[in-house]
Amino acid sequence: VAAFTNLEKKFVISIAIINQKGGVGKTTVSLNLAAALSLKQKKVLLIDLDPQGHSTIGCGKNKKSIQLSLFNLLSPSLSKPRVAEVKLSISEHLDLIPSNITLSQFEPLMLGGADREYFLRNLLKNVTGYDFVIIDAPPSLGLLTINALLAATKIIVPLELSPLSFDGVESLGDTINLLQQRLGHRAEIKYVINRFQANSKIGQELWMEFLKSYEAQTFAQPIPATVRFLENLRAGNPFRLKNLGPKAHAAIEAVAEEVLQWSLQPKLTATMLRQSGLNSAAYNFSPEVPQSVPVTAGATVDDSAPASIFL
Ligand SMILES: Nc1ncnc2c1ncn2[C@@H]1O[C@H](COP(=O)(O)OP(=O)(O)OP(=O)(O)O)[C@@H](O)[C@H]1O
Ligand SMILES: [Mg+2]
């Protein structure tokens, strides 16, 4: 029994918001989900993983005046700051690790470095005291996004419905799965439809069509298009969910609720461990470390030899 109490301990759910396409709503989902969860009394850490620093701006912070940012935490340096020195308190339940253009040095700097895909994951190993970590990824599938994939227990892909997005979603899903497979990591993917045009015939038709293929992996509530998201962004205040209007507010609430439900699923139970052929001693993890749920019988968890896709 004692061996399993460790498994019962709360561990951080890390959610990466990913799409290599620009402007689809990664930052909007990151900010609003972070705000909605923190308003539900969950402790949330928002990580701005984009050199554009849009989540930083969205939290009302001036990215130019930021002295220490995510880059200082990720870059290999002797005088690395602690997370506590870098994070900014946005509200009682929401902290932000800000970023600005200096983060664009990460990819060129790390290209030859060992463990370069695991910097964020390693950073999160030392982050405690949160229920959720939300990672706002940049619009690329480069090294920063790979770091997000490997640090995540869950992946949310915001999409706009268009005849073109059906092609994109398949290749993006395949790419994410392939990357995870090659790196021996598995985080579940869920799509969220953004800028939904509920009142148009084509919008409804595309939604139905999308659900035919992806219903099981799609948030039930699409997020409608509204300029109110722009207003909150300009105000630098992600907590004004009511200002979004009833429909967008309800959609954000529904997405946050679904995330809460979803986050209950990966808890490793004794039964799951038995079925997967692992025992608790073999599956040695600390509650803070994001874990992929072992799915195959006899699967082993080996963090000692990280794979690389940049070999
Ligand atoms: N549902 C929506 N309704 C209206 N405007 C939206 C909606 N979602 C996002 N926007 C606006 O569209 C713009 C792009 O959104 P956002 O910044 O969230 O996308 P992104 O995927 O993070 O972009 P990037 O790839 O550049 O990081 C922003 O100005 C945002 O306020
Ligand atoms: Mg963004």
Side-chain angles (χ1 to χ4, degrees):
V1 176
F4 287 117
T5 49
N6 191 31
L7 303 176
E8 305 296 319
K9 270 197 208 162
K10 190 174 75 174
F11 65 96
V12 182
I13 306 283
S14 46
I15 306 174
I17 318 292
I18 286 173
N19 192 333
Q20 92 278 26
K21 199 169 150 122
V24 291
K26 292 179 289 296
T27 301
T28 303
V29 169
S30 300
L31 285 166
N32 286 279
L33 182 59
L37 290 172
S38 64
L39 289 170
K40 292 177 190 300
Q41 313 301 309
K42 300 292 173 191
K43 276 291 266 177
V44 181
L45 177 67
L46 176 58
I47 298 184
D48 192 346
L49 190 67
D50 186 349
Q52 297 180 105
H54 287 169
S55 274
T56 302
I57 297 173
C59 285
K61 297 295 171 188
N62 180 351
K63 56 182 186 171
K64 287 194 189 125
S65 66
I66 283 159
Q67 299 296 318
L68 292 173
S69 66
L70 179 63
F71 178 70
N72 302 91
L73 292 172
L74 293 183
S75 66
S77 144
L78 288 177
S79 55
K80 237 189 222 191
R82 289 176 299 118
V83 171
E85 295 171 77
V86 177
K87 72 174 188 206
L88 303 172
S89 171
I90 305 301
S91 75
E92 193 191 342
H93 289 100
L94 177 63
D95 288 340
L96 167 77
I97 297 185
S99 279
N100 55 26
I101 193 69
T102 56
L103 186 61
S104 58
Q105 298 170 48
F106 179 75
E107 295 197 357
L109 209 67
M110 288 303 136
L111 257 181
D115 276 6
R116 55 204 172 273
E117 298 97 347
Y118 294 86
F119 272 67
L120 187 59
R121 181 184 174 126
N122 289 336
L123 178 75
L124 290 188
K125 281 184 186 169
N126 301 316
V127 170
T128 53
Y130 295 98
D131 299 299
F132 291 94
V133 173
I134 295 176
I135 305 162
D136 181 11
S140 82
L141 280 176
L143 190 54
L144 283 169
T145 299
I146 305 288
N147 267 266
L149 283 174
L150 292 175
T153 46
K154 308 277 185 199
I155 295 168
I156 295 179
V157 177
L159 292 171
E160 263 175 74
L161 284 178
S162 121
L164 305 173
S165 57
F166 289 85
D167 177 46
V169 68
E170 206 161 311
S171 52
L172 179 62
D174 287 350
T175 306
I176 291 173
N177 285 329
L178 187 73
L179 285 171
Q180 296 200 85
Q181 211 173 9
R182 291 182 66 175
L183 293 160
H185 180 70
R186 188 171 174 276
E188 223 182 323
I189 306 175
K190 243 174 158 170
Y191 303 103
V192 64
I193 301 306
N194 186 29
R195 280 207 193 83
F196 183 52
Q197 308 275 356
N199 299 325
S200 75
K201 184 160 169 276
I202 178 95
Q204 288 293 345
E205 283 172 3
L206 288 170
W207 173 236
M208 288 304 154
E209 212 175 307
F210 190 80
L211 289 183
K212 252 188 234 163
S213 307
Y214 300 104
E215 183 163 14
Q217 296 153 266
T218 304
F219 281 89
Q221 190 63 57
I223 302 171
T226 166
V227 292
R228 300 296 186 87
F229 283 113
L230 297 175
E231 291 180 13
N232 284 4
L233 203 54
R234 185 170 64 181
N237 184 347
F239 298 105
R240 303 197 317 171
L241 297 181
K242 287 199 181 107
N243 183 59
L244 294 174
K247 284 187 184 152
H249 182 197
I252 295 298
E253 286 294 335
V255 169
E257 278 301 331
E258 202 171 324
V259 164
L260 288 177
Q261 292 305 315
W262 193 23
S263 69
L264 297 175
Q265 288 167 19
K267 277 190 190 141
L268 295 175
T269 62
T271 314
M272 282 166 71
L273 286 180
R274 253 197 324 276
Q275 284 171 350
S276 68
L278 289 165
N279 60 46
S280 61
Y283 200 77
N284 170 31
F285 67 85
S286 75
E288 297 82 32
V289 184
Q291 292 297 330
S292 356
V293 178
V295 280
T296 47
T300 54
V301 178
D302 181 9
D303 270 346
S304 61
S308 175
I309 53 149
F310 290 102
L311 287 176

